[in-house]
Amino acid sequence: MESTLKSFRDGESVLDLSPRSAVGGGVEDVYGEDCATEDQLVTPWTFSVASGYSLLRDPQYNKGLAFTEKERDAHYLRGLLPPTVSSQQLQEKKLMHNIRQYEVPLQKYVAMMDLQERNERLFYKLLIDNVEELLPIVYTPVVGEACQKYGSIYKRPQGLYISLKEKGKILEVLKNWPERSIQVIVVTDGERILGLGDLGCQGMGIPVGKLALYSALGGVRPSACLPVTIDVGTNNEKLLNDEFYIGLRQKRATGKEYYDLLHEFMTAVKQNYGEKVLVQFEDFANHNAFELLAKYGTTHLVFNDDIQGTAAVVLAGVVASLKLIGGTLPEHTFLFLGAGEAGTGIAELIALEMSKQTKAPIEESRKKIWLVDSKGLIVSSRANSLQHFKKPWAHEHEPVSTLLDAVKIIKPTVLIGSSGVGKTFTKEVVEAMTEINKIPLILALSNPTSQSECTAEEAYTWSEGRAIFASGSPFDPVEYKGKTYYSGQSNNAYIFPGFGLGIVMSGAIRVHDDMLLAASEALAKQVTEENYKKGLTYPPFSDIRKISANIAANVAAKAYELGLATHLPRPENLVKYAESCMYSPLYRNYR
């Protein structure tokens, strides 16, 4: 990936630490009350004494009925609560019971967001303890529907909205956010939300959801996370004509106007929060995603989850799958449907890992990877009409117009879908993969579920139970000819929370490709023999905090090795240190 992006940076590498990165300002990394031990008393109000009524309405400190008799007297809560004192465990039990009563997934999403807005620690306790059940609610696939209807379900702001109206004042806008010690920012412009297209300002559901997972799964403090939506308009006519739409009612700004706004934002972020704030670009359209990553990769701590996070999680799944399908990574041939930011990002990271194993130039490794876009197989005769990020994949070959023909001619051992178009892995395509391979590896990665290239049931049925299958959104186990098949979920939530924690705890100042490979390797190692027996190529999400700690340790180790870490001296045991840094959602005892 770095080798591709360097060509757009005049050969500059993230390891060069460009002098252009020298922007003043920033704050110290302060962990605040989370440095305290669990049994240590903390003061919920730092700057002023507030009434109990205010305390109950502050989600960061509210405990609801869990306030003890002593706390009710000390913090003016007497009479504001019913007399019962309830434990956090009992509160959790009651809320999970209530959430399970809803039959419509979007109602569950709204209930979870309401909880986050009134009792932060209970929200994260629920999410951590019931991650496999609630992850599809707060993240994909339900978050996609939430973004589509965000204007209707919007109640109160959960992040910063920076529109063209704020041009020239973005630094002032950042200062309006109440938290000063920000470590992770997730920012979107809403142009390519999942596989749903341009949702404009309503894309805010994605940064909010991603950062909830940073805290729940990766242990980054909620107060250190900032969701941001850059609103430059939308080309979605339905939204522009929707009376409940909450964003700018104009067509998308492009060109200089767009990039000037983004540059002001990136400059203000570093000025306000310092060199070590991680900016994660999320759901930008292809033409902007690569441009922004190339432009700011050498001057800021930036990460694109759609390009780099997706690549890392898919590579981990492919590496783990080798135990089931056999062979080494360089021995396999890959065919992608979809040549956008996800597809080319995955392809480049797989090629990097191949090069690392074979010591061959990356140009040689790329020859084992083929991509199909809307116009057919990407070949050298199309080079002049290709977008810049597709050009490295234009190999010498006759034109091929359909995916089915590409499967029959290229004879891939691994088929990967990142097209954002549902039902494109047809019965004929899966049958062709099965005819070529004893155990075909089929990854249908597009989100949400409606956009998946095929379902788990289709993959197992059409391959007569021979396929190893993983998808972007979750599928239930499938019964086929008396056997139960479990499909893996190639979900970015495996990677980005632990990756972010590794960045934060090492004080890294740049993201390098080797750190992505380190994250992939750590995830692949977490797959157990028991998982393999079920045909799984990813570990269960129930172990995600442990998985994230191991990923964070591996990423941090690589940052230290590359000289990009600033938290010195290096901790002796990085896994234990990662666990010690992780946010705990347990209630604190107040003085």
Side-chain angles (χ1 to χ4, degrees), residues 1 4-5 8-9 259 284-296 304 307 339-345 388-390:
M1 216 167 301
T4 303
L5 295 171
F8 308 118
R9 301 173 178 150
Y259 283 108
F284 284 77
N286 292 340
H287 54 281
N288 291 325
F290 285 98
E291 183 75 28
L292 293 170
L293 192 58
K295 183 174 182 179
Y296 295 107
N304 186 304
I307 299 172
E341 55 194 283
T344 54
H388 59 79
F389 54 85
K390 294 182 183 181

Side-chain angles (χ1 to χ4, degrees), residues 183-346:
Q183 294 170 325
V184 181
I185 293 173
V186 175
V187 59
T188 186
D189 71 354
E191 189 169 2
R192 194 203 59 83
I193 299 297
L194 303 176
L196 302 171
D198 186 350
L199 297 184
C201 190
Q202 298 190 168
M204 178 59 96
I206 298 294
V208 169
K210 289 273 185 179
L211 286 168
L213 300 189
Y214 261 111
S215 296
L217 314 186
V220 178
R221 289 177 299 118
S223 60
C225 297
L226 174 57
V228 176
T229 291
I230 305 285
D231 185 0
V232 295
T234 178
N235 294 333
N236 186 324
E237 289 292 341
K238 186 178 177 183
L239 289 179
L240 290 173
N241 296 318
D242 183 351
E243 62 179 325
F244 299 124
Y245 181 56
I246 58 175
L248 288 179
R249 293 179 184 274
Q250 66 172 65
K251 293 289 186 181
R252 279 190 171 272
T254 57
K256 186 175 186 303
E257 186 180 16
Y258 176 87
Y259 283 108
D260 282 353
L261 189 73
L262 265 293
H263 188 69
E264 184 186 345
F265 169 72
M266 293 302 293
T267 303
V269 160
K270 189 184 283 193
Q271 215 169 328
N272 202 43
Y273 301 121
E275 187 85 12
K276 292 181 282 186
V277 61
L278 174 63
V279 179
Q280 178 172 314
F281 296 122
E282 194 66 41
D283 287 354
F284 284 77
N286 292 340
H287 54 281
N288 291 325
F290 285 98
E291 183 75 28
L292 293 170
L293 192 58
K295 183 174 182 179
Y296 295 107
T298 56
T299 61
H300 291 66
L301 181 63
V302 293
F303 170 68
N304 186 304
D305 191 45
D306 303 301
I307 299 172
Q308 297 165 300
T310 301
V313 77
V314 174
L315 175 59
V318 170
V319 169
S321 300
L322 297 178
K323 194 152 188 176
L324 298 172
I325 65 177
T328 63
L329 191 68
E331 290 170 345
H332 286 274
T333 301
F334 296 81
L335 179 63
F336 284 75
L337 176 64
E341 55 194 283
T344 54
I346 298 163

Side-chain angles (χ1 to χ4, degrees), residues 14-245:
V14 299
L15 295 177
D16 293 338
L17 299 182
S18 167
R20 294 183 291 115
S21 67
V23 176
V27 294
E28 292 181 10
D29 292 328
V30 180
Y31 264 82
E33 56 101 353
D34 276 316
C35 280
T37 59
E38 287 300 333
D39 56 352
Q40 187 174 335
L41 293 171
V42 298
T43 305
W45 304 105
T46 310
F47 300 109
S48 63
V49 176
S51 69
Y53 192 80
S54 300
L55 179 56
L56 289 175
R57 278 151 184 77
D58 189 320
Q60 194 171 342
Y61 299 106
N62 179 33
K63 300 196 292 184
L65 290 175
F67 284 107
T68 65
E69 298 286 351
K70 189 176 178 182
E71 288 171 335
R72 294 179 189 207
D73 284 330
H75 295 287
Y76 314 104
L77 292 164
R78 190 62 71 180
L80 299 179
L81 292 166
T84 296
V85 176
S86 176
S87 68
Q88 191 178 25
Q89 289 72 23
L90 189 60
Q91 289 177 321
E92 182 181 0
K93 182 179 178 182
K94 182 184 80 170
L95 279 164
M96 283 307 299
H97 171 76
N98 291 345
I99 287 168
R100 287 168 181 151
Q101 302 308 303
Y102 293 117
E103 293 183 4
V104 178
L106 188 61
Q107 291 177 324
K108 296 183 179 185
Y109 174 88
V110 171
M112 286 297 290
M113 291 303 103
D114 285 346
L115 176 60
Q116 187 180 21
E117 288 171 11
R118 74 172 183 273
N119 188 330
E120 191 177 84
R121 286 184 182 271
L122 188 56
F123 168 83
Y124 287 110
K125 186 79 165 62
L126 243 68
L127 188 49
I128 291 167
D129 292 349
N130 305 275
V131 64
E132 290 179 308
E133 182 176 351
L134 294 178
L135 185 63
I137 302 300
V138 301
Y139 190 46
T140 182
V142 181
V143 73
E145 184 184 358
C147 286
Q148 288 176 308
K149 299 174 181 176
Y150 209 76
S152 299
I153 64 175
Y154 175 86
K155 292 182 180 178
R156 57 180 281 186
Q158 293 176 290
L160 275 182
Y161 294 85
I162 297 173
S163 74
L164 289 168
K165 290 181 179 180
E166 282 70 59
K167 183 167 174 53
K169 299 181 284 189
I170 293 179
L171 183 58
E172 294 171 40
V173 173
L174 291 179
K175 291 180 186 297
N176 288 342
W177 189 250
E179 301 292 344
R180 290 288 171 260
S181 183
I182 298 299
Q183 294 170 325
V184 181
I185 293 173
V186 175
V187 59
T188 186
D189 71 354
E191 189 169 2
R192 194 203 59 83
I193 299 297
L194 303 176
L196 302 171
D198 186 350
L199 297 184
C201 190
Q202 298 190 168
M204 178 59 96
I206 298 294
V208 169
K210 289 273 185 179
L211 286 168
L213 300 189
Y214 261 111
S215 296
L217 314 186
V220 178
R221 289 177 299 118
S223 60
C225 297
L226 174 57
V228 176
T229 291
I230 305 285
D231 185 0
V232 295
T234 178
N235 294 333
N236 186 324
E237 289 292 341
K238 186 178 177 183
L239 289 179
L240 290 173
N241 296 318
D242 183 351
E243 62 179 325
F244 299 124
Y245 181 56

Side-chain angles (χ1 to χ4, degrees), residues 503-533:
I503 295 279
V504 168
M505 74 185 215
S506 64
I509 53 173
R510 297 290 179 272
V511 170
H512 190 272
D513 284 344
D514 285 355
M515 292 154 76
L516 298 170
L517 294 177
S520 283
E521 289 160 8
L523 176 57
K525 285 176 184 173
Q526 300 297 306
V527 185
T528 65
E529 286 299 326
E530 187 181 343
N531 303 145
Y532 282 126
K533 284 175 186 174

